[in-house]
């Protein structure tokens, strides 16, 4: 089994699950036990500043970061936060996912987001997307997802509403020509 860590799953146009329709999920972990990822293009109706207020973390409302959207990372444990960010060490619970992307789950990163100590680029998700052993592989066989190597530019610099299209465009295909049929020539 080839690990899909540091790859995007791009929902096929035929994806029926309303949560994952036109979703782009960044895969943080994938092994024989399953997979864990964060959807990077499903904003929810809350800003970073609002979230920090809710969890009683002081923040600078005048900082640009305070007005940034928070995302629904997936339908699992939606009360849990994850910060995907550009490399910056010093947080108590960080993991390097690639040379360009880290994930941090500790509150110390949240306290820094509206300060000069914040990572240069970040997104926050609430919840995550999880696949049990063999589930993701089965969804791939069912033609539910396209796979590409993750591109930090899509996560951090592409407007939210363009992330799915830009991810698809990196494949060099016309999405309207894709079929939901599996393995039939």
């Amino acid at each position: 089994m080839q690990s899909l860590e540091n790859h995007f799953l791009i929902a096929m146009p035929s994806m029926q699950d309303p949560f994952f329709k036109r979703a782009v999920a960044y895969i943080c972990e994938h092994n024989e036990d399953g997979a864990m990822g964060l959807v990077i293009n499903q904003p929810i109706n809350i800003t970073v500043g609002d979230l920090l207020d809710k969890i009683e973390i002081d923040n600078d409302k005048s900082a640009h970061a305070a007005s940034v959207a928070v995302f629904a990372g997936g339908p699992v444990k939606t009360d849990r936060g994850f910060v995907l960010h550009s490399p910056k060490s010093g947080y108590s619970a960080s993991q390097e996912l690639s040379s360009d992307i880290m994930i941090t789950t500790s509150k110390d990163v949240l306290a820094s987001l509206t300060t000069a100590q914040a990572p240069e680029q970040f997104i926050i998700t609430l919840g995550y997307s999880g696949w049990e052993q063999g589930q993701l592989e089965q969804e791939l066989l069912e033609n539910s997802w396209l796979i590409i190597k993750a591109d930090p530019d899509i996560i951090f610099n592409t407007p939210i509403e363009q992330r799915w299209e830009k991810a698809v465009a990196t494949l060099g295909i016309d999405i309207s020509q894709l079929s939901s049929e599996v393995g039939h020539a």
Side-chain angles (χ1 to χ4, degrees), residues 9-25 39-43 72 75 129 144-145 160 164-165:
L9 294 181
I10 306 165
M12 288 285 286
S14 59
M15 175 70 77
Q16 295 302 307
D17 184 320
F19 188 89
F20 292 107
K21 188 167 188 65
R22 293 177 63 93
V24 178
V39 175
I40 62 160
N41 67 330
Q42 306 286 359
S129 301
S144 297
W145 301 99
I160 298 163
W164 185 81
E165 289 85 356

Side-chain angles (χ1 to χ4, degrees), residues 12 18 27 39-40 53 55 57 63 76 78-79 100 116 152 155-156 161 172 182:
M12 288 285 286
I27 301 300
V39 175
I40 62 160
D53 286 346
I55 56 177
I57 293 179
V76 182
T78 57
D79 59 337
D100 301 309
I155 298 172
F156 299 124
E161 67 281 358
V182 181

Side-chain angles (χ1 to χ4, degrees), residues 8 10 24 148 154 162-172:
F8 287 145
I10 306 165
V24 178
I148 61 167
I154 292 174
Q162 295 174 17
R163 291 179 184 171
W164 185 81
E165 289 85 356
K166 186 166 182 183
V168 170
T170 64
L171 291 166

Side-chain angles (χ1 to χ4, degrees), residues 1-178:
M1 176 195 79
Q2 180 183 348
S3 174
L4 296 178
E5 287 177 19
N6 197 39
H7 282 74
F8 287 145
L9 294 181
I10 306 165
M12 288 285 286
S14 59
M15 175 70 77
Q16 295 302 307
D17 184 320
F19 188 89
F20 292 107
K21 188 167 188 65
R22 293 177 63 93
V24 178
Y26 175 81
I27 301 300
C28 302
E29 184 175 6
H30 182 220
N31 57 39
E32 63 277 350
D33 297 325
M36 178 268 185
L38 302 172
V39 175
I40 62 160
N41 67 330
Q42 306 286 359
I44 55 178
N45 196 20
I46 187 170
T47 64
V48 169
D50 294 336
L51 176 65
L52 296 177
D53 286 346
K54 278 188 180 196
I55 56 177
E56 299 179 356
I57 293 179
D58 288 336
N59 63 93
D60 179 359
K61 293 286 186 284
S62 68
H64 168 73
S67 64
V68 170
V70 174
F71 296 84
V76 182
K77 296 197 178 189
T78 57
D79 59 337
R80 189 158 175 222
F82 300 86
V83 181
L84 280 181
H85 59 88
S86 53
K88 183 164 178 69
S89 58
Y91 301 116
S92 62
S94 294
Q95 180 180 348
E96 184 177 297
L97 300 173
S98 76
S99 60
D100 301 309
I101 302 170
M102 294 181 77
I103 187 171
T104 300
T105 55
S106 52
K107 280 191 171 183
D108 54 351
V109 72
L110 297 174
S112 79
L113 293 180
T114 63
T115 72
Q117 288 73 44
E120 187 177 323
Q121 299 177 298
F122 71 89
I123 67 167
I124 298 177
T125 73
L126 295 179
Y128 69 92
S129 301
W131 292 266
E132 295 177 353
Q133 182 179 22
Q135 182 182 1
L136 179 55
E137 291 77 7
Q138 183 60 41
E139 290 181 15
L140 293 169
L141 288 172
E142 293 168 356
N143 210 23
S144 297
W145 301 99
L146 296 169
I147 306 165
I148 61 167
K149 183 133 180 69
D151 179 351
D153 186 58
I154 292 174
I155 298 172
F156 299 124
N157 300 321
T158 303
I160 298 163
E161 67 281 358
Q162 295 174 17
R163 291 179 184 171
W164 185 81
E165 289 85 356
K166 186 166 182 183
V168 170
T170 64
L171 291 166
I173 58 174
D174 179 353
I175 197 73
S176 67
Q177 299 298 313
L178 290 178

